[in-house]
């Protein structure tokens, strides 16, 4: 509210200044001295370029330093350091060029404003200059693009066989998580069988689905490869876990995935940051509707043995919702009961 008031105040002040300027020009016109008017308006415009350069330049540096910790979170994944190196190299190269060109752009607009007796220099060509400013950016950009390509190929390389597969489904407005259960294999899903309880559309014709479980909290093991199998139920979403330098779109009808290895458990990160409340988070980073901001999921990184213990405790979806046994083909029913540990007596 306070910020809004300040913003409105600034806008109002600018509007008043503009009106004063406008009125004084009109008075000039009425008095008939239009030549003077042009020079003074040029001077004002030129000066405003300088004011803009200094003002926004100050804001740019002030904000970059003030928020530095928020966009440079500690890295907690294996590929993260490689990613960081590339990110900061690109940032340094483009940052220097950005600042220099902006300074030149606004400074020159002020310096070379119209003056009555000055004459522009006719300078039609300079081949050497052309070659230099074509060649240098081409080489720098080629290096950045090819290094980026190599890092990206590395990061998105096929998952190793021993990876921990976990499914993440984005929907308006939350994330759902499904684990493959003790068989390590995620069962098929089918959007046509989605309903209120079976919100994932688990397909009970697939025997791999019987021990799949849908926990309330998301856990992953430290130091082991984890693959997020990502899908969306309605519109575009995007899985974003900044500490792991992980971002991948969730696209309806087109499964995507991201494999990574966490290097610091939640407990270790709490110690490192000296913040006992700290938790890793997954956010949605694709504006997906009104509740976009609320798509937040807590992610807990456990030591592998704690993860196994937590994993073994989870009850399968089918065990929690035994009414879905009716969807299991009759020849697989026995297997489903065995796999999920449903008590036969409960069924009668
Ligand atoms: Cu979303």
């Amino acid at each position: 509210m306070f910020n809004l008031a300040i913003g409105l105040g600034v806008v109002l002040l600018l509007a008043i200044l503009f009106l004063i300027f406008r009125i004084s020009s009109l008075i000039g016109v009425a008095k008939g001295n239009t030549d003077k008017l042009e020079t003074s308006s040029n001077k004002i415009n030129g000066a405003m370029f300088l004011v803009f350069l200094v003002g926004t330049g100050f804001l740019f540096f002030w904000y970059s330093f003030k928020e530095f910790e928020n966009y440079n979170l500690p890295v907690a994944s294996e590929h993260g350091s490689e990613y960081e190196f590339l990110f900061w190299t690109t940032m340094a190269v483009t940052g220097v060029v950005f600042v220099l060109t902006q300074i030149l752009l606004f400074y020159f607009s002020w310096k070379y404003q119209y003056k009555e007796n000055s004459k522009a220099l006719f300078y039609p060509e300079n081949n050497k200059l052309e070659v230099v400013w074509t060649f240098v950016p081409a080489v720098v950009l080629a290096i950045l693009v090819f290094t980026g390509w190599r890092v990206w190929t590395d990061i998105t390389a096929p998952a190793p066989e021993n990876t921990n597969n976990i499914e993440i489904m984005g929907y308006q407005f939350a994330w759902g998580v499904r684990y493959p259960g003790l068989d390590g294999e995620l069962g098929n899903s089918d959007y046509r069988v989605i309903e209120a309880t079976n919100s994932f559309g688990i397909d009970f014709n697939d025997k791999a689905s019987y021990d799949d479980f849908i926990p309330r909290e998301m856990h992953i093991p430290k130091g082991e490869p984890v693959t997020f199998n990502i899908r969306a139920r309605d519109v575009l979403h995007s899985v974003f876990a900044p500490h792991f330098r992980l971002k991948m779109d969730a696209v309806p009808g087109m499964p995507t995935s991201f494999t990574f290895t966490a290097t610091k458990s939640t407990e270790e990160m709490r110690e490192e940051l000296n913040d006992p409340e700290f938790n890793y988070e997954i956010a949605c980073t694709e504006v997906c509707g009104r509740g976009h901001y609320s798509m937040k999921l807590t992610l807990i990184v456990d030591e592998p043995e704690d993860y196994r213990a937590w994993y073994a405790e989870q009850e399968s979806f089918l065990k929690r919702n035994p009414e879905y046994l009716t969807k299991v083909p009759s020849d697989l029913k026995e297997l489903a009961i065995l796999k999920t540990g449903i008590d036969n007596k409960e069924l009668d």
Side-chain angles (χ1 to χ4, degrees), residues 86-114:
L86 187 67
F87 177 81
W88 286 110
T89 311
T90 311
M91 200 67 158
V93 173
T94 53
V96 168
V97 173
F98 173 76
V99 170
L100 282 181
T101 48
Q102 297 307 304
I103 290 176
L104 291 179
L105 183 65
F106 288 95
Y107 172 70
F108 279 10
S109 307
W110 170 76
K111 175 107 171 65
Y112 297 108
Q113 61 184 275
Y114 171 77

Side-chain angles (χ1 to χ4, degrees), residues 5 18 37 40 52 59 82 129 171 183 216 219 247 276 335:
F18 176 74
L37 177 71
S40 80
F52 185 84
L59 285 178
E82 206 183 354
L129 206 58
Y171 59 93
D183 64 1
R216 285 193 192 88
H219 286 246
K247 180 184 183 297
L335 179 74

